Amino acid sequence: MSTHRDPLRVTDLVTERATALRTVGSRERRSHLSAPRVPTVGIDIGGTKVMAGVVDADGAILEKVRTETPDKSKSPQVVEDTIVELVLDLSDRHDVHAVGIGAAGWVDADRSRVLFAPHLAWRNEPLRDSLQARLAVPVMVDNDANTAAWAEWRFGAGRGEDHLVMITLGTGIGGAILEDGRVKRGKYGVAGEFGHMQVVPGGHRCPCGNRGCWEQYSSGNALVREARELAAADSPVAYNIIERVKGHVPDITGPLITELAREGDAMCVELLQDIGQWLGVGIANLAAALDPSCFVIGGGVSAADDLLIGPARDAFRRNLTGRGYRPEARIAKAELGPEAGMVGAADLARLVARRFRRANRRRIERYERYERYAQAFRAGAVRPTRPRSTTEEPGA
């Protein structure tokens, strides 16, 4: 009986994909130039929405779908089911070769498990292998800030930069580091959690358990907290926003504050300036540690444009170590908007698709050689050879 295994068995494919994925990180810089120009799916999983899109090799979104994120109290299986449904829906209309996941959480160094997700019930969740077994295509999992930074480096505000730091301002602060075109994930995969640098000892309590974290002073949560506190105190400077929400303070949101600031509301302009100044202080600290050539500011709060980034640039220059005697990093707003994480995840998945395609092609070639040999053997064209016993005399 032949012991040859079918080269297309799903278990073999999953093993091959995992092996291919482990080689991606060391060759990201050049790999994207020769990755297959095939469509891939990128998925951005956040606390409120799951967005999936088919992305081509030039970063263009061919189709996009989205749905609400299942409630955090539900099992991880429910979120996984949502991802599979979106991918299968897109696969009905597109030839999908790989899937990339950008997850709002900590992903391990092998990019196989979500160690922790603050807005989902993921704790050491083997997301990559679970999805590969169900989708039968290569799957790549990474932190959503890493995928957004990759997209901005490839297609957006970071093009041409060799040392880039991305800061994502949303509910909290996320971040990512690229050096020489490679995402720096750290020993354990959780580099770039800039939002939890302590900037005010003993300051505001952070959900992470510490006090004075950067994201408590420069994030969407910080912006809304300050506005609501002023409105709840019935401050005269808050009358305009109180009137806008008809006195219902919980209706005050970040987009509303930005809208009023653009209309010239003095309190909202001042709040964005405060957030921007804290942003500049944190960027100056990162410049002292990492010395990048460019900071890219993304996330929902960055929609305030120069109302936020202008004060950030001013505070950065005032707080930069060695100011006046060193080159200053460029500070740019992200160009790809809320789709950056999805586009970057799809593009990183394309690298995995290339390695899997090569490995699978070699597997099929070996199988075809075996089949040719087997056919020749059955036809009597070749005879099996018996290994020589070590006890036999030469010529016996």
Side-chain angles (χ1 to χ4, degrees):
M1 179 183 295
S2 170
T3 59
H4 179 74
R5 297 197 307 174
D6 185 347
L8 299 180
R9 287 179 59 187
V10 171
T11 53
D12 291 341
L13 294 179
V14 171
T15 301
E16 194 67 49
R17 291 168 192 147
T19 301
L21 184 61
R22 285 194 291 270
T23 69
V24 171
S26 62
R27 294 195 292 270
E28 281 176 347
R29 178 173 174 80
R30 290 186 300 273
S31 292
H32 74 276
L33 298 174
S34 55
R37 298 184 63 82
V38 295
T40 52
V41 168
I43 298 178
D44 185 14
I45 305 171
T48 59
K49 57 97 175 74
V50 180
M51 181 166 56
V54 180
V55 181
D56 69 15
D58 297 315
I61 300 171
L62 305 180
E63 183 180 354
K64 179 177 68 175
V65 293
R66 62 179 291 167
T67 186
E68 292 183 358
T69 303
D71 186 80
K72 63 186 295 184
S73 64
K74 296 179 180 178
S75 71
Q77 184 68 36
V78 176
V79 182
E80 183 184 303
D81 291 343
T82 301
I83 296 170
V84 170
E85 288 172 6
L86 292 176
V87 173
L88 293 181
D89 178 39
L90 292 169
S91 297
D92 287 340
R93 298 176 296 281
H94 302 273
D95 183 18
V96 175
H97 291 253
V99 175
I101 310 288
W106 292 356
V107 178
D108 70 359
D110 289 336
R111 283 177 285 170
S112 61
R113 292 177 175 270
V114 180
L115 302 176
F116 172 76
H119 304 294
L120 296 168
W122 280 341
R123 304 294 184 267
N124 200 30
E125 184 67 24
L127 184 62
R128 184 192 69 194
D129 293 343
S130 297
L131 290 174
Q132 280 185 164
R134 296 181 64 178
L135 295 173
V137 295
V139 174
M140 186 282 313
V141 180
D142 208 339
N143 172 266
D144 57 349
N146 288 342
T147 62
W150 179 265
E152 291 292 341
W153 177 70
R154 288 273 284 124
F155 310 112
R159 282 174 294 184
E161 300 287 352
D162 284 336
H163 292 77
L164 177 148
V165 170
M166 180 154 189
I167 298 167
T168 57
L169 299 178
T171 302
I173 295 180
I177 307 164
L178 273 82
E179 291 184 3
D180 295 324
R182 290 173 52 190
V183 179
K184 309 295 285 188
R185 298 180 176 86
K187 174 66 175 178
Y188 304 107
V190 297
E193 292 296 332
F194 305 138
H196 298 288
M197 300 186 304
Q198 189 183 67
V199 295
V200 180
H204 290 295
R205 176 73 74 178
C206 181
C208 77
N210 294 328
R211 286 186 179 274
C213 292
W214 187 25
E215 69 175 39
Q216 291 304 304
Y217 299 87
S218 184
S219 68
N221 269 352
L223 180 67
V224 171
R225 182 191 66 229
E226 295 295 316
R228 288 179 178 177
E229 286 181 359
L230 287 167
D234 205 25
S235 169
V237 301
Y239 282 171
N240 193 22
I241 199 168
I242 292 172
E243 183 180 354
R244 183 65 67 94
V245 298
K246 296 180 172 56
H248 192 240
V249 173
D251 287 346
I252 295 175
T253 63
L256 175 60
I257 296 168
T258 299
E259 178 185 341
L260 290 175
R262 287 184 177 136
E263 294 173 3
D265 181 87
M267 183 198 77
C268 294
V269 169
E270 183 177 333
L271 290 178
L272 282 168
Q273 288 175 341
D274 290 345
I275 296 298
Q277 287 170 5
W278 277 112
L279 176 60
V281 169
I283 291 175
N285 290 340
L286 291 173
L290 301 174
D291 191 31
S293 59
C294 177
F295 288 94
V296 176
I297 313 300
V301 182
S302 69
D305 299 319
D306 277 346
L307 289 168
L308 172 82
I309 295 179
R313 290 192 179 109
D314 293 339
F316 170 67
R317 295 188 185 103
R318 288 196 307 270
N319 292 277
L320 181 63
T321 302
R323 52 193 173 276
Y325 298 96
R326 59 178 288 177
E328 291 184 6
R330 180 170 65 95
I331 299 176
K333 182 191 171 185
E335 295 179 0
L336 301 183
E339 286 85 18
M342 180 185 73
V343 171
D347 200 58
L348 285 167
R350 193 169 287 109
L351 308 183
V352 183
R354 185 192 72 170
R355 286 171 176 76
F356 170 69
R357 282 153 61 98
R358 285 180 175 177
N360 195 44
R361 184 168 62 248
R362 289 193 295 268
R363 184 195 296 271
I364 292 173
E365 289 171 353
R366 289 195 300 269
Y367 177 71
E368 290 174 345
R369 286 196 300 270
Y370 170 84
E371 284 297 313
R372 288 195 296 270
Y373 175 84
Q375 291 173 5
F377 174 75
R378 288 192 291 268
V382 298
R383 298 178 59 186
T385 59
R386 181 171 63 90
R388 183 186 296 277
S389 172
T390 56
T391 59
E392 290 180 341
E393 294 294 332

